[in-house]
Amino acid sequence: MTENGSAARGWETVVGLEVHCELSTVTKLFCSCPNAFGSEPNTNVCPVCLGLPGSLPVLNARAVEFAMRIGTALGSSVEASVFHRKNYFYPDMPKDYQISQYDAPINVGGHIELADGTLVGIVRAHIEEDTGKTTHVGGGGRIHDADYSLVDYNRAGVPLVEIVSAPDIRSAEQARSYVTELRAILVATGTSDGRMEEGSLRVDANISVRRAGDAEYGTRSEVKNLNSLRSLGRAVDYEAARQIGILEAGGTVAQETRHWNEEEGRTSSLRSKEEAYDYRYFTEPDLVPLVPSAEEVAAVAAALGPLPAARRHRLAELVAADGAPAPVDQLATVVGLGLDDLVAAAAGAGADARLALARASNEAANRPDEARALDPAAFAELVKLEAAGKLSATQSKSVLAAMLEDGGEPAQIATRLGFEALDPAELEAAVDAAIAAHPAEWDRYRQGDAKVAQFLLGAVMRSTRGRANGKAVAALLEARRN
Amino acid sequence: MSLPVGADYLSILRHLVALYDTGVTEGFSRDDVVYVARLARLDLEPSEVDLYAAQLGSILDHVAAVTGLDTTAVPATAHPLELANVLRPDTPGPTLPRDEVLSQAPHAEGGRFRVPPILGEAP
Ligand SMILES: [Zn+2]
């Protein structure tokens, strides 16, 4: 069922997200083992993260600073906090407990502004340690029929911040937008690389449905194993439709944890026969409270650069100066990849801001690392050449690709690629040649068949190897018609 | 008395203390002992259940005695030491040799700890 279909029948989807974010510190949260992705298994381990008797945790100062940066960026209140032990038996933690924050988290409250302006509340953003990585062997890799499991503790003790949203999200699209925005904030604050595909960002979704206008929330399910934005969006739509199906048939939704299966495109219950988990939280006796001073909180806030929402507003103003609204998707892409300074610099150097935004959000966005290293003056020059019609859109994209590959001056690259702008006589000759070569098509064009214009334009582009300016060709064809 | 699921032990203690305050003095029941033992994966004989119920009950009696004190002038603390913000710099230190680490495990395979098949997802 589509979102619109369910909305038309009077249902509203309610989503809250819990995002676990790995901090890009050099070392782990409570020991000096390297915090590194992709090392050989069990090579970044020591007595502390292996839970060996007699070892003691000591808190990583940078992890605390990063958590404070995240809280400040989310508009949270940064408060005195306490660590707790969360007790459970599972081989991903050799201590048989995970150190987390429970009833006194470091960051309380706040909100995220989505690219479309929607505000989503933040409940808390607390510090905790990551668990080891288990691999299930045999039985096709499925947990319930595994022959045995293998454990790698490199990830055990890696610092995490868990960011819990309020149930303010109302659609799959908003859920994706929230994670996109959160990722942009994490990257902008330098606290995480935000790579979902490497597990730096892991999302659990609490999903429920209710009749539009109801004040009470419905019973929610918690969906795990959402490893991409695509999975998140699909799982929200699937789970809402499943719950609506149950409710419309007169049933009740069970509060449970469900597992998203990307291949099958569905969720399944994870409820085991065992009793609900009772984690027996108690304060971690080996760690003392964390009490940031007002000066420390102020220093973190002062060092924080402009955040994505503010940067989008700045860029939107720049682009919309020509009178039309700025394209929201392009703004989000460019700010999310940290290319907004490039666009702003190009506009500052006299290039057309809208065209600069378009190039940055498409061609440059394919290679964000190289794009961030581009010489802003050269990028501005490219946009000016295209805006002046000296390069066609196709040529401009090719020159930009070459600049991203090797750097260099756009005018020189254009010459090297043979992208000298056609002089007007050459262009007219090419158009006349195309008309002469395709008399039947030309007749149809003259009788008003607009679709043939594309065909004739293509012919001119082929004969000029993409050097012709599309708008100029269209104008010439129009002039020849009369 | 049944323990609320997900409650932390401080709140359980507070709950028990509250019971004492209101005159309920049934202490730690056999059911409570059986429940906590199951969470801790302890297999207790019936005689042990009785023994621990009595012992835990006496601990709770002791805690209950604390509630008789006037603590209005004592600030709340999260740790017996008067310390906060014990931090270390984010600089790497030595790790253990993997062979030595895995030699302590009953089974290892491909550089990883090998453990019995796991029922259910990680909590
Ligand atoms: Zn370690």
Side-chain angles (χ1 to χ4, degrees):
Chain A
M1 180 181 346
T2 67
E3 201 178 291
N4 288 338
S6 59
R9 297 211 313 282
W11 292 101
E12 181 178 58
T13 305
V14 175
V15 181
L17 296 178
E18 296 171 13
V19 178
H20 287 85
C21 148
E22 283 185 353
L23 303 181
S24 33
T25 53
V26 178
T27 66
K28 293 187 181 181
L29 186 55
F30 298 117
C31 63
S32 55
C33 286
N35 167 17
F37 179 81
S39 302
E40 280 291 301
N42 291 307
T43 52
N44 298 330
V45 294
C46 75
V48 174
C49 56
L50 287 174
L52 300 186
S55 61
L56 287 171
V58 189
L59 188 56
N60 181 337
R62 196 182 329 243
V64 174
E65 194 208 321
F66 282 6
M68 287 166 66
R69 276 194 212 168
I70 292 171
T72 307
L74 297 175
S76 308
S77 161
V78 180
E79 301 188 349
S81 60
V82 174
F83 289 92
H84 274 70
R85 289 187 185 179
K86 177 182 179 179
N87 298 278
Y88 65 91
F89 289 97
Y90 198 82
D92 64 1
M93 277 314 259
K95 300 194 293 284
D96 283 337
Y97 59 84
Q98 177 192 24
I99 303 177
S100 181
Q101 294 189 317
Y102 181 54
D103 54 3
I106 182 166
N107 300 305
V108 179
H111 65 267
I112 284 183
E113 183 185 332
L114 306 188
D116 69 0
T118 307
L119 288 185
V120 175
I122 299 294
V123 176
R124 57 188 282 161
H126 68 262
I127 304 173
E128 65 183 29
E129 57 178 339
D130 208 347
T131 60
K133 208 169 162 50
T134 52
T135 311
H136 308 290
V137 179
R142 300 258 319 206
I143 293 154
H144 289 283
D145 31 44
D147 293 332
Y148 57 92
S149 300
L150 297 173
V151 197
D152 169 13
Y153 290 121
N154 282 347
R155 204 180 64 184
V158 161
L160 296 177
V161 165
E162 180 179 345
I163 299 140
V164 181
S165 88
D168 292 346
I169 295 164
R170 293 290 175 270
S171 66
E173 175 58 35
Q174 276 193 348
R176 284 195 301 265
S177 173
Y178 171 89
V179 174
T180 303
E181 188 62 21
L182 178 56
R183 184 167 59 185
I185 291 170
L186 295 168
V187 172
T189 53
T191 51
S192 173
D193 61 26
R195 292 196 180 115
M196 273 187 109
E197 65 282 8
E198 289 183 4
S200 299
L201 216 60
R202 302 196 290 275
V203 181
D204 297 338
N206 290 304
I207 304 166
S208 64
V209 297
R210 63 177 173 184
R211 285 289 178 189
D214 277 4
E216 301 277 307
Y217 294 121
T219 305
R220 64 189 159 83
S221 61
E222 181 180 7
V223 180
K224 292 185 178 275
N225 194 43
L226 304 171
N227 299 323
S228 67
L229 291 178
R230 177 182 148 82
S231 294
L232 170 62
R234 291 179 74 201
V236 168
D237 280 339
Y238 173 86
E239 193 55 22
R242 186 187 71 84
Q243 293 181 12
I244 289 167
I246 291 172
L247 294 171
E248 287 185 343
T252 51
V253 174
Q255 181 166 345
E256 60 182 354
T257 304
R258 298 180 69 86
H259 180 92
W260 171 252
N261 185 313
E262 178 66 29
E263 288 76 44
E264 296 172 19
R266 59 191 214 94
T267 63
S268 53
S269 179
L270 271 180
R271 216 170 9 176
S272 66
K273 293 189 186 84
E274 294 192 46
E275 73 271 12
Y277 284 105
D278 176 350
Y279 296 122
R280 293 159 295 151
Y281 281 98
F282 62 87
T283 48
E284 167 59 84
D286 294 337
L287 291 167
V288 297
L290 195 56
V291 188
S293 68
E295 292 75 38
E296 286 170 306
V297 174
V300 166
L304 222 52
L307 293 166
R311 286 158 51 192
R312 279 197 305 271
H313 291 310
R314 178 187 71 159
L315 200 54
E317 255 174 47
L318 213 55
V319 171
D322 64 9
V328 171
D329 289 353
Q330 292 185 358
L331 291 175
T333 303
V334 163
V335 169
L337 294 171
L339 297 174
D340 44 328
D341 284 345
L342 183 69
V343 175
D352 180 71
R354 187 173 298 275
L355 187 55
L357 177 67
R359 287 291 157 267
S361 65
N362 290 294
E363 289 69 37
N366 294 332
R367 304 183 67 171
D369 292 336
E370 290 86 348
R372 279 189 292 269
L374 267 185
D375 172 15
F379 180 66
E381 189 55 35
L382 174 78
V383 175
K384 285 186 201 170
L385 287 173
E386 183 181 344
K390 291 177 183 162
L391 288 177
S392 69
T394 313
Q395 290 173 337
S396 174
K397 291 173 190 180
S398 302
V399 172
L400 182 52
M403 288 165 66
L404 291 167
E405 182 79 36
D406 305 313
E409 290 300 316
Q412 289 171 6
I413 295 170
T415 308
R416 195 178 76 223
L417 295 175
F419 290 168
E420 294 295 341
L422 294 178
D423 65 54
E426 231 183 316
L427 185 62
E428 284 190 39
V431 170
D432 289 339
I435 290 171
H438 304 286
E441 284 77 8
W442 177 241
D443 268 352
R444 279 165 54 204
Y445 177 80
R446 293 184 69 185
Q447 285 153 27
D449 186 347
K451 275 178 288 181
V452 191
Q454 278 305 318
F455 172 83
L456 293 167
L457 174 62
V460 175
M461 283 298 176
R462 272 193 303 282
S463 73
T464 61
R465 298 193 317 280
R467 290 158 68 208
N469 180 311
K471 281 184 196 143
V473 173
L476 276 173
L477 287 172
E478 195 57 29
R480 291 285 188 278
R481 191 220 299 259
N482 303 320
Chain B
M1 190 212 86
S2 70
L3 300 180
V5 169
D8 72 298
Y9 271 134
L10 283 177
S11 71
I12 291 170
L13 283 172
R14 283 187 208 109
H15 183 64
L16 290 172
V17 167
L19 289 178
Y20 277 92
D21 277 350
T22 53
V24 180
T25 54
E26 62 191 300
F28 218 95
S29 76
R30 293 187 90 259
D31 285 349
D32 296 333
V33 174
V34 169
Y35 176 73
V36 174
R38 189 168 70 235
L39 288 177
R41 306 296 190 268
L42 295 174
D43 196 8
L44 300 182
E45 299 293 327
S47 63
E48 292 173 312
V49 173
D50 290 329
L51 176 70
Y52 294 137
Q55 290 181 347
L56 288 167
S58 76
I59 293 171
L60 290 175
D61 286 344
H62 182 67
V63 173
V66 177
T67 62
L69 302 173
D70 178 9
T71 58
T72 46
V74 181
T77 55
H79 199 275
L81 300 178
E82 281 195 38
L83 273 177
N85 306 329
V86 176
L87 301 168
R88 64 176 178 82
D90 186 26
T91 45
T95 57
L96 290 172
R98 184 166 74 182
D99 290 346
E100 197 178 317
V101 166
L102 293 177
S103 72
Q104 307 297 306
H107 304 287
E109 183 179 308
R112 295 174 174 88
F113 292 90
R114 180 176 163 161
V115 299
I118 299 160
L119 297 173
E121 289 272 349

